[in-house]
Amino acid sequence: MVMAQNDWKDRLGVVFSTNPDFQYTTSGEEEADTLPPEKQRLVVGIDRRNRGGKQVTLVSGFKGRSDDLKELGRTLKTRLGVGGSAKEGEITVQGDFRDKVTEILRSLGYNAKRGN
């Protein structure tokens, strides 16, 4: 469908050409393939900054597609029975679960270590 390819929201901040034959193309950033679990180096730490005094367990160092990150975050949250989020290469789990998260990640085959 032509309209789907010509969505105006994708072109915000772009200077337009007066050439009627000009076709705007977006440079689609491709996500890197997800590394296998044994090659991932995940660090499990705790974070208290900018969270109103609440503690969260932060899993950082994930390299791969955002879908795989969200799936791993969903698995952690389900096994722990808590809330959280997974975005920008980090998984946030509400509460201080550093030891449990490290155990779960190791049981899934990830190279995880406990940080701060």
Side-chain angles (χ1 to χ4, degrees), residues 31 42-43 47 50-51 56-74 76-77 83-94:
E31 292 182 285
L42 303 178
V43 178
D47 190 23
N50 300 327
R51 303 191 193 278
V56 295
T57 303
L58 198 62
V59 180
S60 57
F62 185 86
K63 296 197 179 6
R65 298 183 15 231
S66 60
D67 294 341
D68 296 330
L69 176 71
K70 289 180 182 178
E71 186 62 36
L72 179 60
R74 184 177 299 121
L76 289 174
K77 293 185 297 182
S85 67
K87 56 188 172 188
E88 299 174 6
E90 290 184 339
I91 299 172
T92 305
V93 177
Q94 295 173 354

Side-chain angles (χ1 to χ4, degrees), residues 6-112:
N6 201 14
D7 189 16
W8 64 273
K9 293 177 185 175
D10 292 335
R11 300 184 314 237
L12 288 176
V14 175
V15 178
F16 292 93
S17 172
T18 56
N19 182 357
D21 297 328
F22 179 76
Q23 289 293 323
Y24 179 76
T25 57
T26 58
S27 59
E29 293 182 24
E30 293 185 21
E31 292 182 285
D33 285 338
T34 304
L35 292 174
E38 59 273 0
K39 293 191 178 185
Q40 297 273 4
R41 299 198 29 88
L42 303 178
V43 178
V44 180
I46 193 163
D47 190 23
R48 294 180 191 94
R49 287 178 279 155
N50 300 327
R51 303 191 193 278
K54 306 283 184 188
Q55 296 178 348
V56 295
T57 303
L58 198 62
V59 180
S60 57
F62 185 86
K63 296 197 179 6
R65 298 183 15 231
S66 60
D67 294 341
D68 296 330
L69 176 71
K70 289 180 182 178
E71 186 62 36
L72 179 60
R74 184 177 299 121
T75 302
L76 289 174
K77 293 185 297 182
T78 302
R79 288 208 185 168
L80 295 170
V82 295
S85 67
K87 56 188 172 188
E88 299 174 6
E90 290 184 339
I91 299 172
T92 305
V93 177
Q94 295 173 354
D96 184 3
F97 292 103
R98 290 175 287 187
D99 295 327
K100 289 181 182 179
V101 169
T102 306
E103 272 182 41
I104 292 170
L105 289 172
R106 285 185 180 154
S107 71
L108 293 173
Y110 286 92
N111 183 7

